[in-house]
Amino acid sequence: MADLNGLFEKFNEKITLTITKKENLKKGRNALREKISKYFIEQEKTKPKYHGQGSYAMNTMVNPLPGKEYDIDDGIYLEEYFDKNKEDWPSTYEVHNWIYNAVFNHTKVFPEDKDTCIRVKYSGEYHIDLPCYIVKDDIGYLANKSIGWIESDPKEFTNWFIDKKKDKGEQLRNIVKYLKAWKDYQELELKGIACTILCCNEFYGVEKRDDKALLGTLINIIETLEAGFECKKPVTPYEDIFRDYEYNEELRIKRSLVDLKESLEMAINERDVEKASEYLIEQFGDRFPRGKSEDQKNSNEFVKTERPGVLKNDGRSA
């Protein structure tokens, strides 16, 4: 069988944001924080606090495909209302106006006032989303311009993922990134947060074999989604990420996951590394490296099992 871990390591490097891109995002984020703080002080309001969230904070962000933007979410937390009753809070519309006015003219493109955040765009290369929150009694509330203040605090989710990663190891983060890069290439209506939750809940660790770890995780995900197509957020407000998906979207996601699983299975069972990589290039695109036949490792094994028959992280047989 082919050992594809080396190819997945190269793929991981390819889809990971470069240091330059990370620095650009950090500079843009910090400049916006400074501008927002200055605005609040000028308006005689308490300077807010900030908390990075999403894939940037969890280090699961992947390089976008050509023509696509990458982005980060930077949460703005209003400090002066945590001890006030909700009826004394400003309206979400008013809060959005504060943030919009604070960052207006920061870039050549006007900010976009979305329901859940203010979006600042940087020349079509990347954008920064600025959601705004108030925390009361340890519960976070997001300023949704259309609905009002709704329960939501991404810090909880970031902490949940970090705890999972500490428990399961760095390989979990790799698996999340592979699945996110795959869904981007396949143009699936599958949110990044859903990829993260599914991988964390169904993770199947295999030491030094990301190929087999991904296969085992996929098998678990497929079994779970066949039993019930849902992906519940593990923190407040515990909503089902798939609640608004139509049946055709559900069907395409499940079929695509099965296709990926079967391609990965064929690749692992293929003795020729170059041929094995071709199965995966079809799934991940040409960012996935092509193997070379001369690098193949001779093996008489040819196994197809319900789970990859290798050692788990705990050292016990799978």
Side-chain angles (χ1 to χ4, degrees), residues 170-215:
E170 185 64 29
Q171 190 175 61
L172 171 62
R173 182 176 280 145
N174 296 347
I175 300 303
V176 171
K177 289 164 68 178
Y178 299 146
L179 197 65
K180 290 172 70 173
W182 166 77
K183 66 95 176 172
D184 287 348
Y185 179 72
Q186 296 294 330
E187 297 183 336
L188 288 173
E189 293 297 324
L190 185 60
K191 296 178 180 178
I193 189 173
C195 292
T196 303
I197 294 169
L198 290 171
C199 287
C200 286
N201 288 343
E202 310 301 339
F203 178 67
Y204 185 87
V206 182
E207 188 176 354
K208 297 182 180 179
R209 287 296 299 266
D210 281 7
D211 52 347
K212 290 192 173 184
L214 178 58
L215 176 57

Side-chain angles (χ1 to χ4, degrees), residues 15-26:
I15 63 176
T16 298
L17 283 187
T18 63
I19 293 176
T20 299
K21 285 184 177 180
K22 287 181 178 178
E23 284 300 315
N24 286 341
L25 284 172
K26 188 176 180 180

Side-chain angles (χ1 to χ4, degrees), residues 291-304:
K292 295 181 180 179
S293 294
E294 61 265 28
D295 292 337
Q296 68 180 332
K297 296 181 180 179
N298 295 324
S299 173
N300 294 322
E301 293 180 296
F302 187 87
V303 181
K304 182 171 181 177

Side-chain angles (χ1 to χ4, degrees), residues 216-260:
T217 302
L218 283 168
I219 291 171
N220 289 342
I221 290 173
I222 291 166
E223 287 181 356
T224 296
L225 295 184
E226 285 296 337
F229 189 74
E230 65 177 20
C231 179
K232 290 188 176 180
K233 199 172 180 181
V235 296
T236 307
Y238 304 99
E239 76 268 32
D240 179 12
I241 306 296
F242 292 158
R243 65 188 182 279
D244 296 326
Y245 278 55
E246 295 182 357
Y247 179 68
N248 286 341
E249 293 173 323
E250 171 186 343
L251 202 60
R252 182 166 183 242
I253 289 171
K254 291 196 292 190
R255 283 177 176 171
S256 297
L257 285 166
V258 171
D259 286 345
L260 174 59

